[in-house]
């Protein structure tokens, strides 16, 4: 458990889980009496971290499924498509330089423009392996802090999108249950503490549902994935600069 609480897991998995389950957590916190020790207090105390942990696990699995669908609908993984000759995200000279750098690293010949013209996905295995090499060699958070931040943003949005429908279904259940209990309490008394708590939970569930419906979208995930992919490919510049520096030192020694 402690091993899993690295910065990426906390911000890209547990934060979405917390955000997606806020109405449920609020319902437990508001409706349970904390003034005295009872069985319900023990259950609520245990349920909160379990709910968040389970949601984080579900978010990751559902987020990965959504990721695959998004890649399929948008024509492929951004870190792959951006290196194609036909893509205009980077200028041709820069892409040639990045491909030439990645070729020896993954021990694979660089695909040609002619191959891609005959088959758009001809070079994708090369770009896929090149992206994997970059991800594996940019794990230094301090050295590649911008890339790490973009990765967290992408993971957060993707996992939150994965929890969108489960969260809305959970909110619907909270709204229905709150309405049923409030209906049974009618007419409502302003001095009724339980009724006021139910109204707070109901309002929170409605506002939260609006946020999940309109603010959490596929487009936001696509944008984040493209920004992260662009930064991942740009990390080639760091390695190229290092190679140039090493070559300069070697020349001076001669």
């Amino acid at each position: 458990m402690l091993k899993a609480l690295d910065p990426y897991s906390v911000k890209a998995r547990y934060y979405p889980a917390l955000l997606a389950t806020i109405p449920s957590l609020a319902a437990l916190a508001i409706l349970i009496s904390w003034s005295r020790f009872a069985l319900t207090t023990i259950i609520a105390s245990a349920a909160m971290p379990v709910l968040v942990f389970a949601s984080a696990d579900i978010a990751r699995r559902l987020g990965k499924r959504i990721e695959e669908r998004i890649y399929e609908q948008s024509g492929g993984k951004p870190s792959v498509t951006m290196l194609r000759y036909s893509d205009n995200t980077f200028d041709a000279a820069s892409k040639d330089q990045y491909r030439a750098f990645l070729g020896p690293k993954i021990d694979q010949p660089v695909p040609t423009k002619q191959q891609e013209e005959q088959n758009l996905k001809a070079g994708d295995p090369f770009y896929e392996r090149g992206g994997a090499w970059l991800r594996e060699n940019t794990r230094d958070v301090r050295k590649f802090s911008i890339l790490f931040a973009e990765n967290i943003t992408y993971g957060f949005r993707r996992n939150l999108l994965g929890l969108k429908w489960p969260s809305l279904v959970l909110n619907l259940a909270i709204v229905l249950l709150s309405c049923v209990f409030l209906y049974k309490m009618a007419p409502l008394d302003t001095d009724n503490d339980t009724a006021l708590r139910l109204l707070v939970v109901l309002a929170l569930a409605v506002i939260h549902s609006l946020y999940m419906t309109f603010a959490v979208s596929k487009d936001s995930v696509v944008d984040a994935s493209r920004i992260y992919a662009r930064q991942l490919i740009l990390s080639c510049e760091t390695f190229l600069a290092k190679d140039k520096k090493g070559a300069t030192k070697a020349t001076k020694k001669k």
Side-chain angles (χ1 to χ4, degrees), residues 244-254:
K244 288 179 181 178
K245 188 176 180 180
T248 302
K249 287 183 178 179
T251 302
K252 287 181 178 180
K253 286 182 179 179
K254 289 181 181 180

Side-chain angles (χ1 to χ4, degrees), residues 151-162:
N151 190 25
I152 287 177
T153 299
Y154 169 63
F156 174 87
R157 293 186 185 181
R158 182 199 68 186
N159 292 339
L160 186 59
L161 182 62

Side-chain angles (χ1 to χ4, degrees), residues 87-122:
D87 190 271
N88 297 319
T89 304
F90 296 96
D91 61 273
S94 294
K95 285 192 292 185
D96 287 342
Q97 194 175 29
Y98 300 154
R99 294 190 200 97
F101 165 74
L102 291 171
K105 300 299 181 183
I106 62 176
D107 193 24
Q108 191 171 330
V110 177
T112 65
K113 186 176 182 180
Q114 290 72 23
Q115 289 175 322
E116 187 179 303
E117 287 175 346
Q118 294 175 0
N119 179 7
L120 181 63
K121 297 183 179 181

